[in-house]
Amino acid sequence: MTGRAAVPSSAAARYDHGMPNATDCPCGRHDARGRVLPYAHCCGRYLDHFDITPAPDAESLMRSRYTAFTQERRDYLLATWHPSRRPAALDFDAGAKWLGLQVREHRLIDDAHAEVEFVARVRVAGRAQRLHERSRFVREDGRWFYLDGDSR
């Protein structure tokens, strides 16, 4: 994939990198008691410490990429996109508001390949949209990367 990738953004849902532990993670992952995990204990550890803390599996990478979209973290999105498919630039839609994420399936194909099916909801220019995708991930040198996906 070359060129520019346009993605919805959200100034309203943007989070500061120094987010306090009590702030819910935008990806919506729950603990065993059904409570949304704090950003710092969920996607924040991957976004804010990418160099030393890679996402341990494809689902965690996909969730952290969703969170990166809510924060307009171009750096993280490009770094976690496989180099063979990474776009040259990444733009965000102004005024988009991310509304939630539902992971429908996480399938480990083998030690180096996985798929994650998800639905992300976003409002752009007052119109609600559903992004339903089955994403493919590849693991290289101990790191998972987003490869590509099929819209559903």
Side-chain angles (χ1 to χ4, degrees), residues 90-103:
L90 186 63
D91 295 325
F92 299 97
D93 289 333
K97 179 178 172 63
W98 290 93
L99 305 172
L101 174 68
Q102 176 191 29
V103 174

Side-chain angles (χ1 to χ4, degrees), residues 15-17 19 21 23-30 36-50 53-71 73 76 80 101 103:
Y15 293 86
D16 182 65
H17 295 325
M19 180 182 294
N21 289 351
T23 304
D24 291 346
C25 189
C27 85
R29 180 173 267 179
H30 293 88
V36 175
L37 290 172
Y39 172 81
H41 296 279
C42 192
C43 295
R45 57 188 159 171
Y46 313 127
L47 273 83
D48 297 340
H49 306 286
F50 174 75
T53 310
D57 55 48
E59 180 180 350
S60 296
L61 179 61
M62 190 281 309
R63 287 179 173 280
S64 67
R65 286 177 55 84
Y66 170 85
T67 297
F69 278 114
T70 72
Q71 298 176 7
R73 290 285 304 274
Y76 185 80
T80 57
L101 174 68
V103 174

